[in-house]
Amino acid sequence: MVKRSFAVIIASFFTVLIGFAIRANYGVLLPEMLPSLGISKTEAGLIYGSFFMAYTVFSPVLGLLADRIDIRFLLTMFLGILGIGTLLMGYSSSLMEAIFFFGLAGIGASACWSPIVPLVQRWTSDHRRGMTLAFVDAGSSLGIAVSSFIMPIIVAAYNWRMGWKGLGILAILLTGMTFLLVRDYPVENPALQNPKLSRQLNKPGGAMYLGILRDTKFLLIGLSYLFIGFSVLIPVTFITTYAVQELMLHYDVAARLVTIIAVTSIVGKLVMGSVSDVLGRIKTLIICEVLVVIGSFSVVYLPWFFAIYLSMGIFGFGYGPIWPLYAACATDYFSKGSAGFIVGFWTLFLGIGFMLSPIIAGWIADVTGMFMWSFVLAMSTAVISMFLLLLVGKKFSFAN
């Protein structure tokens, strides 16, 4: 039981790692892709938006299926799709090809979070839920940190296309590891772990799901997720391009800003994930989003070499814990048996924010000729997200 639990958590860790590494490295490779493909920042936003459009459509479907069918099958199949789409990005030669290929990658990436949450929680005790989810989600930051460090080296030795090809091959290789390590449920006391069996006792179904969708706290948290997703994706997507084009930093130096975000987000996940088990998810989330605002503010109004690194460190520390903390809210406020459904539909909210964010921010940068107003928009949407969380906290007295 302990060995299998460890194997499932490790497989989940690496699934999250590759999904987020592919997602985040779009921003790292973007400065080199812009002149090569001959695209504007708005068109670059459309490519990224296609990824999140596919991710948004498929995430709630996979979250619902994760409560009902074999997760090992889902993860293996969709990791393969992720790898193929990413590999093909290395062969794109036009805007439409890049939109199609990265959209395909987005379909595969939809398996890298919403099915992972219920899987990990089935194999984790309740009093370690926040810490374990934070550990698994630390895979995202480690993947971003390592890949964003390596990408400038690959680009210098080859080109941006080789970066996509390498990530795609790695994703395909991880499908085999996932198939070997993942199991859906612990064998001990399966009636308490398998929703197919527990439904015979508790009889949840369509009425339960409809009740969740109508729940005020479900909607408030989902909308908060949308706005913070919109907010954080702007710096993650454009910080390297901003540093190269406006701060005149060398490409490999600018790319290290993404590495700083990733490294500090690992610390943030582990620290704030554990803090949330004591302080509460909502309070901890608000603290994290305050740090996101501070980091976004500083990168615009303190654009000095060391200050921008510090700004991205603050941003990363707050940005990192956001995803596991929102996921943990699913079982704090609702049942563990519906966690996949809830996280999947919250990811629908998140995906809308992700889909619109790079397009709108890229358009603003094209129209104004600078990224300042895009970062101001990032700060504003983070503040809206905090306000919505405060409504949840006020309504429920910050109780878990």
Side-chain angles (χ1 to χ4, degrees):
M1 170 67 177
V2 174
K3 290 182 179 179
R4 177 56 63 184
S5 177
F6 180 74
V8 169
I9 290 171
I10 290 299
S12 300
F13 177 90
F14 280 103
T15 299
V16 172
L17 181 150
I18 190 61
F20 278 77
I22 289 170
R23 188 163 91 180
N25 271 281
Y26 181 80
V28 176
L29 295 171
L30 183 58
E32 298 296 311
M33 292 172 61
L34 287 171
S36 177
L37 294 178
I39 57 176
S40 68
K41 297 180 182 70
T42 306
E43 290 171 329
L46 287 172
I47 297 172
Y48 214 9
S50 71
F51 178 96
F52 288 113
M53 181 180 293
Y55 180 87
T56 300
V57 170
F58 279 85
S59 286
V61 177
L62 264 65
L64 181 60
L65 290 176
D67 293 331
R68 296 175 176 270
I69 68 174
D70 188 351
I71 291 185
R72 180 169 68 162
F73 168 76
L74 287 177
L75 293 181
T76 302
M77 181 175 69
F78 279 81
L79 270 176
I81 295 172
L82 173 64
I84 292 169
T86 305
L87 180 64
L88 290 174
M89 274 293 287
Y91 295 95
S92 58
S93 58
S94 68
L95 173 64
M96 294 309 299
E97 285 184 357
I99 287 174
F100 177 77
F101 294 149
F102 215 37
L104 184 63
I107 294 173
S110 62
C112 295
W113 186 239
S114 56
I116 292 295
V117 172
L119 176 66
V120 170
Q121 294 188 124
R122 289 172 194 169
W123 290 88
T124 306
S125 62
D126 288 342
H127 68 281
R128 293 176 183 244
R129 189 189 316 129
M131 182 177 64
T132 305
L133 278 173
F135 169 77
V136 170
D137 192 45
S140 66
S141 297
L142 181 62
I144 296 169
V146 174
S147 59
S148 63
F149 180 82
I150 294 174
M151 279 303 148
I153 300 173
I154 294 176
V155 170
Y158 300 97
N159 50 44
W160 62 269
R161 297 180 184 277
M162 186 59 68
W164 287 124
K165 293 174 185 178
L167 288 169
I169 291 170
L170 180 59
I172 292 171
L173 292 175
L174 286 176
T175 61
M177 184 192 75
T178 299
F179 182 80
L180 291 173
L181 296 184
V182 169
R183 297 293 183 274
D184 270 24
Y185 303 100
V187 295
E188 288 83 356
N189 209 0
L192 297 178
Q193 301 293 338
N194 191 332
K196 292 179 181 178
L197 297 177
S198 63
R199 274 196 296 272
Q200 297 173 5
L201 299 176
N202 301 323
K203 300 187 184 300
M208 179 195 70
Y209 292 138
L210 187 59
I212 292 172
L213 292 174
R214 291 174 174 174
D215 195 301
T216 302
K217 58 183 177 288
F218 172 85
L219 295 173
L220 285 172
I221 295 172
L223 287 171
S224 172
Y225 207 18
L226 186 158
F227 281 104
I228 195 61
F230 187 104
S231 171
V232 300
L233 196 63
I234 293 174
V236 169
T237 304
F238 291 113
I239 187 61
T240 303
T241 306
Y242 166 69
V244 170
Q245 295 187 354
E246 295 190 28
L247 302 185
M248 308 305 293
L249 298 181
H250 193 272
Y251 171 69
D252 59 349
V253 176
R256 297 292 178 260
L257 292 170
V258 178
T259 308
I260 293 293
I261 293 173
V263 171
T264 54
S265 71
I266 295 174
V267 180
K269 290 176 198 291
L270 298 178
V271 172
M272 302 307 284
S274 298
V275 167
S276 75
D277 287 331
V278 178
L279 186 62
R281 314 296 178 207
I282 299 299
K283 285 182 178 179
T284 310
L285 274 169
I286 290 173
I287 293 171
C288 292
E289 294 185 11
V290 168
L291 295 175
V292 166
V293 172
I294 293 172
S296 299
F297 176 87
S298 301
V299 79
V300 173
Y301 294 103
L302 299 173
W304 309 307
F305 182 78
F306 291 108
I308 194 171
Y309 272 76
L310 178 60
S311 299
M312 288 298 94
I314 294 170
F315 174 89
F317 189 89
Y319 154 84
I322 286 171
W323 321 119
L325 292 182
Y326 273 101
C329 286
T331 44
D332 284 344
Y333 291 112
F334 304 94
S335 70
K336 183 180 290 189
S338 59
F341 171 83
I342 294 165
V343 173
F345 268 84
W346 278 346
T347 305
L348 178 62
F349 285 94
L350 177 68
I352 293 171
F354 276 170
M355 184 171 57
L356 295 176
S357 177
I359 299 172
I360 295 174
W363 176 79
I364 291 173
D366 281 334
V367 170
T368 63
M370 62 180 67
F371 280 106
M372 183 185 75
W373 294 111
S374 298
F375 284 102
V376 169
L377 178 62
M379 288 182 269
S380 302
T381 50
V383 170
I384 294 172
S385 177
M386 283 188 284
F387 174 74
L388 292 168
L389 288 177
L390 285 169
L391 292 180
V392 176
K394 182 178 180 181
K395 184 177 181 62
F396 298 100
S397 301
F398 289 97
N400 283 333

